[in-house]
Amino acid sequence: MKKITEICCVGAGYVGGPTMAVIANQCPEINVTVVDINQKRIDDWNDENLDKLPIYEPGLKEIVGENRNKNLFFSTEVDKAIDKAQMIFISVNTPTKTYGKGKGQAADLKFIELCARNIAEVAKDDKIVVEKSTLPVRTAQAIKSILDNTGKGVHFEVLSNPEFLAEGTAIDDLLHADRVLIGGDDTPTGKAAKDALSLVYENWIPKEKILQTNVWSSELSKLVANAFLAQRVSSINSISALCEMTDANVQEVSKAIGFDSRIGPKFLQASVGFGGSCFQKDILNLVYIARSYGLSEVADYWEQVIIMNDYQKRRFAENIITTLYNTVSGKKIVMYGWAFKKDTNDTRESAAIYVADALLEEKAEIVVYDPKVSEERIYADLEYLGSRDPNVNRELLKVVNDPIEATEKAHAVAIMTEWDEFKALDWEKVFENMLKPAFLFDGRRLLETQKMEDIGFKYYKIGES
Ligand code: UDX
Ligand code: UDX
């Protein structure tokens, strides 16, 4: 089997960027070129100032600094990189379709198809094509068909190698992966391709953690892993609502059930609702596939995970409105955090967007502070929902850089993201700044109830009455 020395990755996003940086870092004998059609993105990856990388991940800038322009390259010359590579990762985005058949559920595969056609057109020798993007089951087959029918007679092997990294801990997840999954054909060439990719990972991942399966199992496992994780969050969030009615404490319930080794303690943190680019999209995908095979009970079952998540976001917003005497019109509400979780600047599907939208609908005046998310991103997220004239969003919602100043004469503060710095804030000062009664809504269960009540806050914590 030929050892891989040249890798190309199409798509320099949250998945492609960190994954390739780690491969380059762990495999000094492999040249890795990450390409993207977005010039600005590539320029940012090449910025001399490592604080300006397009993606923030703890540990990422150090690795990029170490390997960039040695065996890690960022470029917009897509064809050149494809031509040179023996192995090509496809890591372009697969948003939920916003039009036509499958609208709002199915993944839009147009970028994947473009990418496959591009590879077929350029490739002059045999290539291993690796699906890194999360895709509906059986997409590999479509990719293979495009490659074989439009290629120039060279041999393509298509593998599925789903990504399990979580944002905010991407580098650590990549370096210390629980497992690496490689799906491919069980033919001799398919097996050789799986082994070739396995060898890349064996540079730092113990061999017993590298699982080889058929393509469909690999594609489906990725969706199922995310669906199970999201289901845990929705399950505990459903219980949080019950806790608020019954004087039970969701933290105590999580702990009590998590001690059961069959259940385990992780992913039982009640919150204002899960966000991120994957959970909702992957479940919608699963639902769509199940439905398209006529499995409506299966589809309904998984769809409920999303329905529960929407309920949790709505419930949080409605609680703010009811608590503030049933009107938030003209009231200043400070939102701490906009990212979908801490330690990332990613805001895709963040609960904060939907809570803000619901409050804006009631004409609240919102002030947002997030340590990593830009003002433009926040406005873009709201505009994407299309609920109202973008100018109204800009009038009613302001983005600030000082979390304390933000609370001057505020009616309420809502914690949306569990940034560590919110724990260490001068909460006495916040209280002093605010109008009384000072309402504090903790959507992340970040603060200590007793301490906040002692300061004087009317403190509401998800999952406690
Ligand atoms: C994406 C998908 O959203 C996810 O489903 C999958 O698991 C991995 O890829 P992410 O890396 O977070 O995740 O997406 P994003 O940050 O949007 O990056 C994709 C990049 O691909 C963008 O920079 C985009 O410019 C680039 N792209 C897209 C291309 O280079 N060519 C295209 O034809 C389309
Ligand atoms: C997820 C998967 O974890 C990862 O394996 C996959 O490759 C991509 O999707 P990510 O979306 O980056 O990763 O973050 P994750 O840590 O899973 O959190 C997702 C959302 O669930 C966040 O909004 C988070 O705040 C929320 N969450 C998570 C909870 O509300 N409670 C929990 O107990 C855990």
Side-chain angles (χ1 to χ4, degrees):
M1 183 192 7
K2 226 163 73 189
K3 238 185 149 176
I4 301 295
T5 53
E6 288 289 341
I7 286 180
C8 157
C9 171
V10 187
Y14 282 89
V15 171
T19 308
M20 292 304 125
V22 167
I23 291 184
N25 186 257
Q26 297 298 313
C27 313
E29 73 291 354
I30 301 180
N31 281 322
V32 181
T33 308
V34 190
V35 291
D36 201 294
I37 48 172
N38 181 339
Q39 182 73 51
K40 167 84 170 62
R41 229 186 196 174
I42 292 299
D43 290 346
D44 289 346
W45 279 109
N46 282 322
D47 202 305
E48 247 172 73
N49 181 352
L50 289 165
D51 287 320
K52 293 206 176 139
L53 295 184
I55 282 156
Y56 170 74
E57 275 294 338
L60 176 64
K61 68 174 183 182
E62 288 77 7
I63 290 187
V64 172
E66 213 177 294
N67 292 85
R68 197 173 55 188
N69 297 330
K70 290 194 187 110
N71 68 333
L72 176 64
F73 307 91
F74 295 94
S75 159
T76 50
E77 294 186 281
V78 180
D79 290 359
K80 196 170 144 195
I82 291 174
D83 180 32
K84 215 169 59 173
Q86 301 152 295
M87 184 176 270
I88 301 154
F89 287 79
I90 301 183
S91 198
V92 297
N93 41 335
T94 48
T96 301
K97 276 187 84 175
T98 52
Y99 56 90
K101 188 161 174 266
K103 179 179 168 180
Q105 290 206 322
D108 190 343
L109 298 179
K110 72 174 174 222
F111 298 136
I112 298 285
E113 176 165 348
L114 277 176
C115 195
R117 288 187 185 276
N118 196 178
I119 294 170
E121 192 186 303
V122 171
K124 296 198 285 286
D125 52 9
D126 296 355
K127 308 280 185 204
I128 299 173
V129 176
V130 186
E131 301 177 343
K132 202 44 150 168
S133 303
T134 303
L135 299 166
V137 198
R138 301 199 85 89
T139 305
Q141 201 172 30
I143 295 180
K144 179 108 175 86
S145 158
I146 292 170
L147 290 171
D148 288 345
N149 285 296
T150 59
K152 302 204 164 84
V154 301
H155 181 81
F156 294 105
E157 225 22 87
V158 180
L159 300 179
S160 154
N161 174 221
E163 194 47 75
F164 295 105
L165 63 81
E167 287 174 32
T169 53
I171 300 302
D172 199 53
D173 293 342
L174 284 160
L175 288 173
H176 310 285
D178 281 351
R179 62 11 191 132
V180 167
L181 186 54
I182 302 176
D185 283 346
D186 281 329
T187 56
T189 48
K191 279 188 187 139
K194 285 194 265 192
D195 287 342
L197 180 54
S198 181
L199 266 186
V200 173
Y201 284 109
E202 280 169 40
N203 277 291
W204 78 98
I205 303 284
K207 202 172 171 177
E208 63 276 11
K209 290 192 173 179
I210 303 177
L211 313 179
Q212 296 194 4
T213 65
N214 78 30
V215 189
W216 325 128
S217 306
S218 171
E219 287 181 332
L220 187 56
S221 298
K222 168 65 197 238
L223 298 184
V224 173
N226 275 344
F228 269 61
L229 290 169
Q231 183 197 41
R232 283 176 71 98
V233 178
S234 273
S235 295
I236 200 67
N237 280 345
S238 74
I239 299 304
S240 77
L242 196 53
C243 286
E244 288 167 29
M245 296 295 164
T246 57
D247 276 348
N249 176 326
V250 78
Q251 192 76 18
E252 292 175 355
V253 175
S254 293
K255 193 169 171 190
I257 64 169
F259 259 70
D260 185 325
S261 62
R262 295 167 301 178
I263 296 175
K266 293 181 184 165
F267 265 72
L268 291 178
Q269 175 70 29
S271 68
V272 57
F274 61 73
S277 70
C278 285
F279 281 3
Q280 171 153 326
K281 179 163 67 88
D282 290 356
I283 294 175
L284 286 174
N285 240 305
L286 198 60
V287 169
Y288 183 74
I289 297 165
R291 205 152 272 145
S292 69
Y293 285 109
L295 304 173
S296 55
E297 284 80 359
V298 177
D300 292 348
Y301 177 78
W302 287 106
E303 194 165 29
Q304 197 59 35
V305 175
I306 293 180
I307 293 173
M308 185 50 64
N309 197 48
D310 289 340
Y311 167 70
Q312 189 76 346
K313 292 183 273 190
R314 202 170 57 238
R315 199 168 76 80
F316 189 76
E318 279 170 6
N319 182 39
I320 294 179
I321 298 164
T322 341
T323 310
L324 295 183
Y325 314 109
N326 287 314
T327 174
V328 290
S329 168
K331 289 184 180 167
K332 179 170 169 184
I333 300 174
V334 179
M335 291 177 72
Y336 279 162
W338 191 265
F340 80 98
K341 64 182 206 181
K342 74 169 179 176
D343 291 339
T344 176
N345 61 350
D346 194 348
T347 64
R348 287 176 288 182
E349 293 300 329
S350 180
I353 304 171
Y354 297 92
V355 171
D357 190 57
L359 296 174
L360 288 171
E361 213 43 41
E362 296 291 325
K363 303 208 171 6
E365 286 176 17
I366 299 179
V367 177
V368 180
Y369 167 78
D370 187 290
K372 288 283 175 210
V373 180
S374 72
E375 181 171 353
E376 282 322 300
R377 181 72 260 155
I378 292 172
Y379 287 130
D381 288 338
L382 286 169
E383 272 168 43
Y384 185 77
L385 294 185
S387 306
R388 64 192 68 75
D389 182 340
N391 291 321
V392 176
N393 288 335
R394 283 171 193 262
E395 237 165 70
L396 288 177
L397 183 146
K398 302 289 173 207
V399 181
V400 298
N401 295 320
D402 184 333
I404 300 288
E405 223 181 274
T407 58
E408 199 66 57
K409 294 204 164 54
H411 290 79
V413 170
I415 299 177
M416 307 306 300
T417 312
E418 73 282 22
W419 288 102
D420 288 334
E421 69 171 70
F422 297 154
K423 276 192 256 181
L425 272 190
D426 185 348
W427 285 101
E428 314 231 346
K429 180 74 193 151
V430 171
F431 179 74
E432 206 177 286
N433 278 352
M434 290 174 66
L435 295 178
K436 310 296 173 313
F439 293 101
L440 176 54
F441 299 89
D442 190 345
R444 294 292 185 164
R445 302 187 45 85
L446 199 65
L447 307 173
E448 278 171 49
T449 308
Q450 195 58 55
K451 211 169 134 195
M452 293 302 126
E453 286 177 354
D454 287 350
I455 292 175
F457 285 108
K458 298 275 177 220
Y459 181 61
Y460 163 82
K461 195 175 194 175
I462 287 259
E464 277 178 42
S465 66

